[in-house]
Amino acid sequence: MSELERIQGLLKEYGLAAKKSFGQNFLINEGVIKAIVKGMDVSSFDTVIEIGPGLGSLTLPLSKQAKRLYAVEADRDMVKVLTDLFKGQENVSIIQSDFLRFDPDSVSQKENRLILGNLPYNITSELFEYMLAKGFASAGAMVQREVADKLTYVKGKKENTPLGAFIKASGELTLIKEVDSSCFSPAPKVDSAFIRIDHKKDVPFTLYPVVKALFKDPNKTMGNCLKQSPLYENLLPVLKEKGDERLSYRARQLEADELISFASEILSLSSR
């Protein structure tokens, strides 16, 4: 039985259909599924947390390698199917929750957990921010292909983002697999990519809002961006008095580590 046939069979058996409100596009390409599971080194982590398992396309192979797997699903209908699928499998727990309301610390330690999933594209940024705030040893995510490019931070690149800068400063992003829209059912309107992020260095997430402020208008200098920020505009005279040349640069023109250093200085000044 192919993965598409398995998915179609479950939908028919339970009288269900993919829901746009949950961003449901079920992964059906067996080759892509195998590449993702292999690329994430599942067995090397104490705990695996899957975001939005849906009908278990990734959950099934993950469960064969994971020491402990928590599948966090917001859709009650999907939870019913998953509960039936994994009944009696002791290393798998199905949790009904919006992932943004689920605390990974309640089931694992950040140093030993892998978080991954086929993310709803409409809340990709929020999910990444939450994962970074909570911490992880490694994370994997299916995202729009253009988002994967935006998250891959390279000094000077016009598409650079604050999220990409924070990821670069604290970890290493690698592309596991480019994924064509035909690999899903129903097929989305965009192509996708599965990326992996490995934690390398502790960077306080309290710096992230400052980095976002520095990127407030990517085409303006960081000095002008700070001028637009009610939280940090009062620091401009101090920074100008110090002759800080960074104010004349656009955020994307700095290395990620340089951005984090600047954000740290700004946060320190703002707390005085």
Side-chain angles (χ1 to χ4, degrees), residues 180-195:
D180 186 82
S181 61
S182 63
C183 296
F184 298 90
S185 179
K189 296 179 181 179
V190 296
D191 290 332
S192 304
F194 197 90
I195 58 175

Side-chain angles (χ1 to χ4, degrees), residues 40-198:
M40 294 310 302
D41 301 320
V42 177
S43 61
S44 63
F45 301 93
D46 290 347
T47 306
V48 178
I49 301 173
E50 184 184 4
I51 304 171
L55 292 173
S57 296
L58 284 173
T59 322
L60 287 164
L62 287 173
S63 69
K64 296 175 183 177
Q65 296 187 26
K67 298 168 186 174
R68 196 75 180 86
L69 172 61
Y70 294 90
V72 184
E73 174 59 58
D75 185 349
R76 292 174 181 269
D77 293 329
M78 297 295 115
V79 169
K80 168 60 177 171
V81 179
L82 291 166
T83 300
D84 291 345
L85 283 176
F86 293 95
K87 187 177 182 180
Q89 195 158 335
E90 294 184 356
N91 69 322
V92 179
S93 296
I94 310 300
I95 299 174
Q96 184 185 332
S97 176
D98 179 335
F99 184 74
L100 294 173
R101 297 182 179 181
F102 171 73
D103 184 5
D105 293 338
S106 65
V107 298
S108 63
Q109 295 181 325
K110 64 181 181 180
E111 297 84 3
N112 301 311
R113 65 178 168 236
L114 164 64
I115 304 176
L116 80 167
N118 182 14
L119 305 186
Y121 291 167
N122 60 327
I123 55 171
T124 297
S125 294
E126 291 94 326
L127 288 169
F128 268 113
E129 289 170 357
Y130 186 62
M131 284 190 280
L132 288 165
K134 298 304 294 186
F136 51 77
S138 185
M142 186 76 76
V143 298
Q144 291 184 40
R145 192 171 295 178
E146 65 175 32
V147 171
D149 183 56
K150 289 179 179 179
L151 293 180
T152 305
Y153 193 91
V154 179
K155 179 182 176 180
K157 190 172 73 172
K158 189 175 181 180
E159 295 78 16
N160 280 338
T161 62
L163 191 54
F166 194 87
I167 289 171
K168 176 73 172 180
S170 60
E172 180 181 3
L173 185 151
T174 54
L175 173 68
I176 297 296
K177 186 76 173 175
E178 291 188 347
V179 185
D180 186 82
S181 61
S182 63
C183 296
F184 298 90
S185 179
K189 296 179 181 179
V190 296
D191 290 332
S192 304
F194 197 90
I195 58 175
R196 171 174 176 163
I197 302 169
D198 291 298

Side-chain angles (χ1 to χ4, degrees), residues 158 214-222 224-225 249-252:
K158 189 175 181 180
L214 294 173
F215 271 93
K216 188 172 181 64
D217 187 332
N219 292 316
K220 291 186 177 181
T221 65
M222 289 187 284
N224 283 326
C225 287
Y249 286 84
R250 294 175 177 84
R252 66 173 182 263

